[in-house]
Amino acid sequence: MDLNQKKRDALDARLKSEIDGHCALDETRAALEEAFQKESDMYIGHLQAGQKAMEALSEVYENGLSENAVYQGTYHNEPEKKKDALEAISFANSCSQIRDVLLRSAVSFGAQGLQRMSIEAKRGKLNDEKIVKAKEEIAKNQAAKDRKNILGLIPLLLGIFFFFVPLLLRPVIPPHVNDYFYYGSFPKVIWYCLLIFIGGEIILSLILHFKETAERKKCAEYLDGCEIWKDAVKKEEELNAYYQEKSAAAKKDSDKYFELISGSMVGKLIDGIYLAPIPAEFRSSADLTAAQQLLGSSRAETLKDVYDILERRHAQDRREQAEAQHRANMENINLEKMRSQQRAEEYAKQQADYAKQQASYAREQADYAKQQAAYMKDLARESEKQTEYARQQAEDAARMQSDIDYMKRNN
């Protein structure tokens, strides 16, 4: 059973719609190409900027600090060498700021790589369960369209036609056969018509079921081998190969970039050489900027004065942070106490409401008991009345019986 062109076109259209909606292969390819291009441009741009910055630092270090006492190791906190101290701090501050920029650029470069990975992770695949079920549903719906409702009238028409068959054959069949079909409280011909109708419906349903099953299988086989599916499979294979190739190259560039930025530029040159004379705890750009201001404003004459002031500031910052943390902890404790108190108050209120309900229920029970007691009193009074009435009836009956006995004796 071959599919006609109309059915193939309908299957192609629905399959293409499902693939485009779930996989979006062309859009995904364009998005990945754009992401890879941005990652490559960022890699080249950041790398060139970092290399230029390091070349500038190297030139300043070689030409401007060749006789600096701090970097030559001959500085011992002499006030007369304040100029060397200020130059060294200014250069170290520049190095620290460049280091921060390089590290931030490394983070942004890594974020761009994660964005590209996110696009790949979120894209739909042709072997996803949604596409598999969609293909089954397309084949099922297309096969169900071939079930014609008018075919269900065939058994009904056959049943109606059989009703008139004995009438048409009356001239050639014996009279008792005609009587068999048409006479009686419920003519047997009607039973035969119903039997033909029901049997025909069952047979027709079986035929249509097997026909629909075969049609669905044919549609499923067509969907697996149609040009739309083959083209989608080819695009997905090309997209997978493209991503694997580009991601491998991007990973190689990324490893090289991070090794160069974090290792060679920051670790070996900036931290290892340019910031080596500065204690590690004072190498942040904020501390170095403060140190430059202290030396420039005559609030400090030597690096020792600068480090002492910065140490006091650090200690003050630590105390403030500890106090802030302590206040936050106390606020959390107070909030927890308030929440506990609120929960206790809510619980007490619930208990009070429950006690009120119990008291109201007890009052209702007491009122009901009073009503029952009054009712029992009324029953007792009524019982006494009935007892008195019965006693009077018994006395009247006894007197009547005595009168009857008396009359019998006298008679």
Side-chain angles (χ1 to χ4, degrees), residues 335-348:
L335 288 174
E336 185 61 30
K337 288 181 179 179
M338 290 177 62
R339 285 193 289 266
S340 299
Q341 185 177 358
Q342 290 176 354
R343 288 194 292 267
E345 291 176 354
E346 291 176 357
Y347 179 74

Side-chain angles (χ1 to χ4, degrees), residues 68-84:
N68 188 278
V70 176
Y71 281 93
Q72 296 301 320
T74 60
Y75 178 81
H76 301 291
N77 294 306
E78 300 91 343
E80 59 272 13
K81 295 182 180 180
K82 181 179 179 179
K83 181 180 178 181
D84 288 351

